[in-house]
Amino acid sequence: MLKNLFGYGDMWNVSGEYGWDQSSKIDIGVYLPRLKSIPTPLTARASILSEDWLKFSSYKQRLLGLKFGLLSTWHHNLSYDLAWRTLTDPSQMASESIRRQLGHNLLSALSYAYKIDKRDSEFRPTKGYAFVSTSQVGGLWKNGLRFFRQEFDGRGAVPLGFCNAALNVGISAGVILPLSRGFMELSSPVPDRFYLGGLSSPVCSLGVISSLLGFKTRGVGPSEPRRSVPGESDAAASTGRDYLGGDLAVSAFADLSFDLPLKLFRDNGIHGHAFLCAGNLAKLSEGEFKNFSFPEFRRTFRSSAGVGIVFPTSLFRIELNYCHILKKHEHDHGKSGIQFSFSLE
């Protein structure tokens, strides 16, 4: 990080990330706390993002983009994204729905977020509440991806009066729809849909619809068979399925945190917790809304429960959990057992 290069209190930084499923990101950005008569901070970032989703969705994504922060206050955030996105399938076995979206496209989107966070801690809340609403409109440039995406996330924590225990509960929902004439017959962008599963703690994932402990990342929801390889044996031609994500997503969790009896643990913030997670995805685009019903959506919720120990550090929070799958469906990737969860602080 470099500070005040041009005398405006500007801060420049370069960062790199490497995450699960061979995802990587390099970006450079600048932060201006105030520029002339503009009353709010301004930010700008240029980034290169690479993600490998061949295992679950048969595509790789490469994104070269710019992000501009236009408004930033305690509760409001307005930003603009401009990016050139490329989707490829080196395996040449992608399902029909994925193949239709391969190639190059332009992402031009305006995002607005409203946030309230009255919790006493972001990583072990014992009281308070939080709410985030995020709206995104894509297709501001001609020939760009046209869609509307809306997310809500609300949660609260209450103390229970024993062993420093607290109960956290939360519910999240989101929907994405194409924006064009006859939009319900069109397809929404696969990378911008909602996915459930992964290794992040639901307690720390404010504003994110993804956490469903015990299930693989992108291992839940609508899926489609991959195409077979011509000339291969029956065993080799059994290529699995592509997970397509959902246009509608709902997830919820309950987490009971409590102190452990050893003083050494309490002095270092190490504590125990028990949790329950549930969620579901549904496809609405490409005419699938005609087959959607709320009773069926409620009946097909996936769920898991478990207990674990939380190890907070100065950089991130680690959870060692035992997860038990309560409900899953035929093609879901989820299993009971020991799981590590990580959340950046």
Side-chain angles (χ1 to χ4, degrees), residues 62-270:
R62 186 175 178 86
L63 189 145
L64 176 63
L66 298 171
K67 184 180 183 72
F68 301 96
L70 306 177
L71 173 69
S72 180
T73 67
W74 284 108
H75 300 302
H76 306 276
N77 188 281
L78 183 67
S79 63
Y80 173 71
D81 291 274
L82 180 64
W84 185 250
R85 176 188 284 166
T86 304
L87 301 183
T88 59
D89 172 28
S91 70
Q92 298 185 353
M93 294 190 299
S95 61
E96 181 180 352
S97 294
I98 297 296
R99 291 200 305 272
R100 286 199 296 264
Q101 300 206 18
L102 297 178
H104 306 281
N105 52 59
L106 178 69
L107 174 64
S108 173
L110 189 68
S111 301
Y112 168 73
Y114 176 75
K115 179 179 178 180
I116 297 176
D117 193 347
K118 299 294 185 180
R119 299 172 298 169
D120 57 347
S121 169
E122 295 182 8
F123 305 105
R124 190 188 176 185
T126 59
K127 61 181 179 180
Y129 62 92
F131 174 79
V132 176
S133 170
T134 304
S135 306
Q136 186 179 39
V137 179
L140 302 185
W141 282 28
K142 188 177 179 180
N143 299 325
L145 294 170
R146 300 178 63 85
F147 63 90
F148 173 73
R149 195 174 194 267
Q150 177 66 53
E151 296 179 68
F152 298 100
D153 186 352
R155 56 189 59 197
V158 292
L160 299 181
F162 61 91
C163 299
N164 197 27
L167 177 64
N168 281 267
V169 295
I171 184 168
S172 305
V175 64
I176 180 172
L177 299 171
L179 284 182
S180 291
R181 181 177 297 179
F183 66 95
M184 294 307 291
E185 302 297 331
L186 301 176
S187 177
S188 57
V190 167
D192 299 300
R193 293 176 185 169
F194 299 98
Y195 296 88
L196 292 176
L199 300 171
S200 297
S201 167
V203 175
C204 303
S205 303
L206 179 63
V208 178
I209 304 175
S210 64
S211 296
L212 188 57
L213 297 178
F215 291 86
K216 294 284 188 180
T217 304
R218 296 199 179 204
V220 175
S223 63
E224 191 174 285
R226 295 171 180 166
R227 64 177 177 179
S228 301
V229 182
E232 296 285 347
S233 65
D234 292 340
S238 180
T239 54
R241 304 180 69 85
D242 284 337
Y243 290 84
L244 308 176
D247 301 306
L248 173 67
V250 177
S251 66
F253 77 91
D255 185 280
L256 174 66
S257 64
F258 49 88
D259 281 348
L260 296 172
L262 294 180
K263 185 177 184 297
L264 177 63
F265 287 169
R266 295 196 301 270
D267 291 344
N268 289 278
I270 300 172

